[in-house]
Amino acid sequence: MTSSGTGTTVVKLGGSVVTDKDRDETLDADSLETAADAVATALGSGDVEDLVIVHGGGSFGHVHASEHGVSTTDGTHDVGAVHAIHGAMKTLDEFVLQRLLERDVPAVPVHPFSVASRDAEGRLDLPTAPVETMLAEGFVPVLHGDVVSHRGEGVTIVSGDELIVELATALEAERVGLCSTVPGVLDDTGDVIERIEDYADVEAVLGTSESTDVTGGMAAKVQALLALESRASIFGLESLPAFFRGEGAGTTIES
Ligand code: IP8
């Protein structure tokens, strides 16, 4: 499912990287610029050819989702809530796209709310033909955590972590990365855990995120990446260039 020699790379820029998670609807402009620089360099050097970017919600989506009591399982039929959450994510997405376009990255938006849905059991259906065609035509699709129509629930939240799992599987991605504000998954002494093969080995040290995060913090991210067939990594922003070059970065997650 790729048009290039390096395979498809799927990377998520965590909401905690691109936003200030502790201040409502506030961008972390410096970090976003750094991430956008790394993307532009990776594409310019040929280290990465087919690239899909996903970004999280941070202080944009999560604040509204939690205000309206919406999670990945608890939905709402309140159309005002739908617009508040989706609108905040579109605003954040515009900032992300703008920074990429300024660096000549051919980034194009894909809003999951418009294409994805959940069935009554909560299973996500994300049609990926548009993303595949965008890649084949030389674009860099940019998706984001969003609201998603959910049979029997109205809308619920779809996290960027769920999206990277769906995309990585459907696109048979070579490299899957989750860029976070921490240098990897940390143990209880603050050291980066180099490799995780089984969730049970790290359950005790993961804890819960301190900021408002309706999709579950680091524990959910590790579980989502363990569900992948391919090798994934969680790393800090400083390791994003190394990840794009195909070098080891942060914590490798492979079951
Ligand atoms: O930050 C959640 O995406 P995440 C997006 O990847 C919303 O968990 C709308 C809360």
Side-chain angles (χ1 to χ4, degrees), residues 12 56-58 61-62 65 85 89 145-147 157-161 213-215:
K12 181 187 170 195
H62 283 286
I85 303 165
M89 288 309 302
D146 205 350
V147 279
I157 300 297
V158 60
S159 73
D161 303 327
D213 189 336
V214 294
T215 53

Side-chain angles (χ1 to χ4, degrees), residues 219-236:
K221 296 180 204 316
V222 170
Q223 284 170 312
L225 295 179
L226 274 170
L228 286 179
E229 298 268 314
S230 52
R231 180 182 296 196
S233 351
I234 295 183
F235 50 83

Side-chain angles (χ1 to χ4, degrees), residues 5 8 12 25 35 40 48 51 68 75 78 100 157 164 183 191 202 212 220 224 240:
T8 300
K12 181 187 170 195
E25 300 210 14
V48 170
L51 176 65
H68 292 281
D78 175 358
L100 293 168
I157 300 297
I164 57 171
D191 290 335
V202 291
T212 309
L240 186 57

Side-chain angles (χ1 to χ4, degrees), residues 12-16 21 54-58 60-66 70 72 85-86 89 144-147 157-163 213-217 221:
K12 181 187 170 195
L13 303 176
S16 53
K21 276 192 100 175
V54 176
H55 65 81
F60 286 74
H62 283 286
V63 170
H64 292 278
S66 118
V70 186
T72 53
I85 303 165
H86 182 61
M89 288 309 302
H144 52 84
D146 205 350
V147 279
I157 300 297
V158 60
S159 73
D161 303 327
E162 286 179 278
L163 296 173
D213 189 336
V214 294
T215 53
K221 296 180 204 316

Side-chain angles (χ1 to χ4, degrees), residues 8 34 38 56 86 93 101 104 121 131-132 143 163 178 199-200 207 211 214 219 237-238 240 251 253:
T8 300
T34 302
H86 182 61
D93 194 49
L101 292 171
D104 295 327
E121 277 73 49
V131 170
E132 286 175 41
L143 293 84
L163 296 173
L178 203 163
Y199 184 68
S211 304
V214 294
L237 184 55
E238 67 288 347
L240 186 57
T251 303
I253 297 173

Side-chain angles (χ1 to χ4, degrees), residues 22-162:
D22 298 318
R23 277 190 289 171
D24 290 5
E25 300 210 14
T26 306
L27 210 57
D28 186 332
D30 288 348
S31 296
L32 179 54
E33 304 261 346
T34 302
D37 283 342
V39 169
T41 301
L43 290 168
S45 65
D47 284 339
V48 170
E49 290 180 32
D50 288 352
L51 176 65
V52 182
I53 298 175
V54 176
H55 65 81
S59 60
F60 286 74
H62 283 286
V63 170
H64 292 278
S66 118
E67 225 170 75
H68 292 281
V70 186
S71 69
T72 53
T73 50
D74 294 323
T76 183
H77 291 86
D78 175 358
V79 71
V82 175
H83 282 274
I85 303 165
H86 182 61
M89 288 309 302
K90 277 201 305 187
T91 301
L92 174 56
D93 194 49
E94 280 302 320
F95 286 128
V96 174
L97 290 167
Q98 199 181 38
R99 298 310 192 278
L100 293 168
L101 292 171
E102 280 166 8
R103 289 162 176 79
D104 295 327
V105 173
V108 290
V110 179
H111 302 303
F113 182 45
S114 307
V115 290
S117 58
R118 288 193 200 278
D119 66 14
E121 277 73 49
R123 284 186 295 257
L124 181 68
D125 176 39
L126 175 71
T128 52
V131 170
E132 286 175 41
T133 307
M134 289 170 196
L135 287 174
E137 296 303 311
F139 296 106
V140 173
V142 178
L143 293 84
H144 52 84
D146 205 350
V147 279
V148 66
S149 56
H150 186 149
R151 194 160 293 268
E153 284 287 337
V155 307
T156 51
I157 300 297
V158 60
S159 73
D161 303 327
E162 286 179 278

